[in-house]
Each structure stands twice: as C-alpha cells, then as structure tokens.
Amino acid sequence: QVQLVERGGGLMQPGGSLRLSCAASGLTFSNYVMGWFRQAPGKEREFVASITWSGGFTPYSDSVKGRFTISRDNAKNMVYLHMNSLKPEDTAVYYCAARRTGTTQYQYWGQGTQVTVSS
C-alpha cells in the first residue's frame, strides 16, 4: 500500500521560512516523479513544484519560483519543500504527490499539511 505522509506545516510570520517533508513508502521511489501541490481556501488545488529521480528537472510555479526549493533524498524515500520569504498568499494545505515516470497524472497523494502565513 502506497503511503505519502507530509510533515512540517504550521503558523509562520510573513518573511519566514519553513521546510515541509514527505515520507514515501510502498512504492519503488526511483520510478516516480515527486511533486508538491497546494490548495488555498476557496481555490482549486495548484501545482507548486516537482522533481525527477535524478533531481535534474525541477519545474516551479511562477508564484513560488525563487522562493521555494524542492529536493529529494532517494536513499530515505523523502522529498522536501524548502519555503523561504513566505507570504500570506502561500497559506494553503500542501500536498505531496507521486507520478510514475512517463505518465502525466499523479497517482498517489498524501493527506496534506496546513501552512498558514500570518502576522
């Protein structure tokens, strides 16, 4: 059974930093592109960033480019989202997701972790 478990959310002040982590189990990690998505209240879920097995391709949404960094530790089956210069508009539930390499849809999703940016 595939499980993706996110951790690290919380309440942060604008300008602060936060690191989210996602632990993957039940899948062959090397076969999957890992991604982060987020959903703000009243809005649709949106793509944040993704990373291939090698880490050589890491697209970001325009709204987080230059502030967020995605990384993965293949030895530990972990993926991270390092978030800097947080803004109130970054407030959302953040989801980790896994997409088998060569496919276009994410097959597995975590339960999400809440990030709130407020003074």
Side-chain angles (χ1 to χ4, degrees), residues 19-98:
R19 189 186 79 162
L20 304 182
S21 64
C22 172
S25 61
L27 51 71
T28 304
F29 198 60
S30 61
N31 291 343
Y32 287 84
V33 173
M34 300 301 296
W36 286 97
F37 291 75
R38 68 185 183 184
Q39 187 168 20
K43 294 188 176 181
E44 293 188 354
R45 186 166 57 192
E46 65 173 357
F47 170 81
V48 175
S50 66
I51 185 167
T52 54
W53 160 255
S54 67
F57 184 58
T58 54
Y60 294 90
S61 68
D62 288 343
S63 59
V64 308
K65 197 174 298 182
R67 299 187 298 120
F68 291 11
T69 303
I70 189 170
S71 63
R72 65 192 288 167
D73 184 336
N74 294 324
K76 297 181 179 179
N77 284 14
M78 297 288 295
V79 62
Y80 305 97
L81 186 66
H82 307 258
M83 305 185 292
N84 296 319
S85 302
L86 284 164
K87 304 176 181 180
E89 50 264 43
D90 294 320
T91 295
V93 177
Y94 283 72
Y95 297 91
C96 175

Side-chain angles (χ1 to χ4, degrees), residues 9-23:
L11 174 63
M12 297 297 298
Q13 291 192 341
S17 298
L18 196 63
R19 189 186 79 162
L20 304 182
S21 64
C22 172

Side-chain angles (χ1 to χ4, degrees), residues 104-115:
T104 58
Q105 300 296 317
Y106 283 81
Q107 292 90 12
Y108 302 109
W109 296 83
Q111 81 288 350
T113 186
Q114 176 71 47
V115 173

